[in-house]
Amino acid sequence: MIRVIIFDFDGTFYSGKHIFDNIEPKVNKNRRKFLPRLTDDEYAFVTKNYPEWEDCIAGRDIVDCIYKIKDENPELDISTKDFWKWQQDNDYQIIFDDNEIVEEEFIKTVCKKYHSYIVSNSSPSHLQRYMNRIGVEEEWFKEVISNHFEEYDKTKKHYYKDIMKNEGVKAEEVLVVGDSEIADLQPAKLLNMNVLFISSAKELKESLEYFLEK
């Protein structure tokens, strides 16, 4: 029996073909700010020796690259906290498709029946802004968690593990729902939790209801 549900947010509560089209130009425009403690010469060293740095767009990929540069060049003053703070202070402009937004009353009902959480790779400011945009309220959930990409575990696994411990439940009593096999579901599978892949916010209600009725 499922007692706890952990949701991803972006791509799960809302989706669409073009929702993230504005992110790449904004990341490219601000990339230098992700490594603010480097001198211009040091930054030039990074771009020359790590060409992948200027290609990564997703937050998870940016963090992976920062850790790689940091590990291989410990003399450089680099921290993922700078990128995390930039995300917190600078909202991404999402392009919404109003036909691909989850039914807020359905989520509210689920949260009343199950102890529910959001665990997202997005910043708290992003989550707050876009939860308001789609009518999903933070108070419905036991907790809304933003991944800080900790060095000891950049994935969501330790958040899932903490939730399971705090709720006093077994892995088979937890369901993780998300649109990314790598970011959302793989960490859950490592803990033997149930998983539900969502390819579109439009299918969330039907897919979740079907899973919970099994």
Side-chain angles (χ1 to χ4, degrees), residues 18-62:
H18 300 289
I19 55 175
F20 300 129
D21 284 2
N22 287 334
I23 292 181
E24 183 171 356
K26 183 157 189 175
V27 167
N28 287 333
K29 182 179 179 180
N30 291 276
R31 194 181 302 274
R32 175 69 176 91
K33 298 175 183 177
F34 305 162
L35 303 176
R37 308 183 208 187
L38 298 186
T39 66
D40 289 342
D41 286 344
E42 289 172 333
Y43 190 78
F45 165 84
V46 167
T47 58
K48 178 181 178 181
N49 291 278
Y50 298 90
E52 66 270 29
W53 168 246
E54 295 192 322
D55 294 329
C56 50
I57 301 299
R60 184 182 65 252
D61 296 334
I62 292 171

Side-chain angles (χ1 to χ4, degrees), residues 2 164 169-175 191-194:
I2 299 298
M164 182 168 60
V169 295
K170 299 176 182 178
E172 57 265 29
E173 297 175 302
V174 181
L175 172 64
L191 295 169
N192 297 315
M193 294 175 169
N194 298 283

Side-chain angles (χ1 to χ4, degrees), residues 6 67 119-121 143 145-166 183-184 186-188 190-191 193:
I6 303 172
Y67 276 123
V119 180
S120 170
N121 282 340
E143 191 173 0
I145 299 170
S146 170
N147 187 357
H148 281 240
F149 301 105
E150 301 290 354
E151 191 163 3
Y152 69 90
D153 183 0
K154 295 171 286 184
T155 75
K156 297 181 178 183
K157 180 182 175 183
H158 63 104
Y159 296 108
Y160 295 169
K161 192 173 182 179
D162 287 345
I163 290 171
M164 182 168 60
K165 179 180 178 181
N166 293 337
D184 306 324
Q186 281 187 6
L190 290 173
L191 295 169
M193 294 175 169

Side-chain angles (χ1 to χ4, degrees), residues 4 30 38 46 61 72 83 103 110 120 135 137 187 192 195:
V4 174
N30 291 276
L38 298 186
V46 167
D61 296 334
E72 295 179 2
F83 172 61
E103 294 180 24
V110 171
S120 170
E137 298 185 21
N192 297 315
V195 299

Side-chain angles (χ1 to χ4, degrees), residues 38-206:
L38 298 186
T39 66
D40 289 342
D41 286 344
E42 289 172 333
Y43 190 78
F45 165 84
V46 167
T47 58
K48 178 181 178 181
N49 291 278
Y50 298 90
E52 66 270 29
W53 168 246
E54 295 192 322
D55 294 329
C56 50
I57 301 299
R60 184 182 65 252
D61 296 334
I62 292 171
V63 166
D64 285 343
C65 197
I66 289 174
Y67 276 123
K68 179 181 178 181
I69 298 167
K70 176 181 172 68
D71 290 344
E72 295 179 2
N73 304 275
E75 74 280 4
L76 297 180
D77 190 3
I78 295 175
S79 172
T80 56
K81 290 182 173 62
D82 294 315
F83 172 61
W84 194 89
K85 184 178 186 305
W86 180 88
Q87 285 194 306
Q88 174 68 1
D89 295 340
N90 296 270
D91 288 330
Y92 293 120
Q93 298 299 316
I94 301 301
I95 301 173
F96 271 96
D97 180 345
D98 288 329
N99 294 315
E100 294 201 31
I101 298 175
V102 71
E103 294 180 24
E104 64 269 25
E105 286 301 319
F106 170 69
I107 296 301
K108 185 177 182 179
T109 299
V110 171
C111 290
K112 286 180 178 179
K113 187 172 182 180
Y114 301 90
H115 286 190
S116 300
Y117 294 78
I118 291 176
V119 180
S120 170
N121 282 340
S122 295
S123 68
S125 62
H126 174 98
L127 291 169
Q128 184 178 45
R129 176 176 181 177
Y130 290 110
M131 286 175 71
N132 290 338
R133 169 64 175 78
I134 65 177
V136 172
E137 298 185 21
E138 184 172 353
E139 65 185 28
W140 299 346
F141 301 87
K142 290 288 295 292
E143 191 173 0
V144 176
I145 299 170
S146 170
N147 187 357
H148 281 240
F149 301 105
E150 301 290 354
E151 191 163 3
Y152 69 90
D153 183 0
K154 295 171 286 184
T155 75
K156 297 181 178 183
K157 180 182 175 183
H158 63 104
Y159 296 108
Y160 295 169
K161 192 173 182 179
D162 287 345
I163 290 171
M164 182 168 60
K165 179 180 178 181
N166 293 337
E167 288 285 348
V169 295
K170 299 176 182 178
E172 57 265 29
E173 297 175 302
V174 181
L175 172 64
V176 174
V177 183
D179 70 308
S180 171
E181 178 67 33
I182 295 174
D184 306 324
L185 306 188
Q186 281 187 6
K189 290 178 180 179
L190 290 173
L191 295 169
N192 297 315
M193 294 175 169
N194 298 283
V195 299
L196 178 61
F197 176 77
I198 299 296
S199 61
S200 168
K202 293 187 297 184
E203 73 175 42
L204 176 57
K205 179 180 179 180
E206 182 178 355

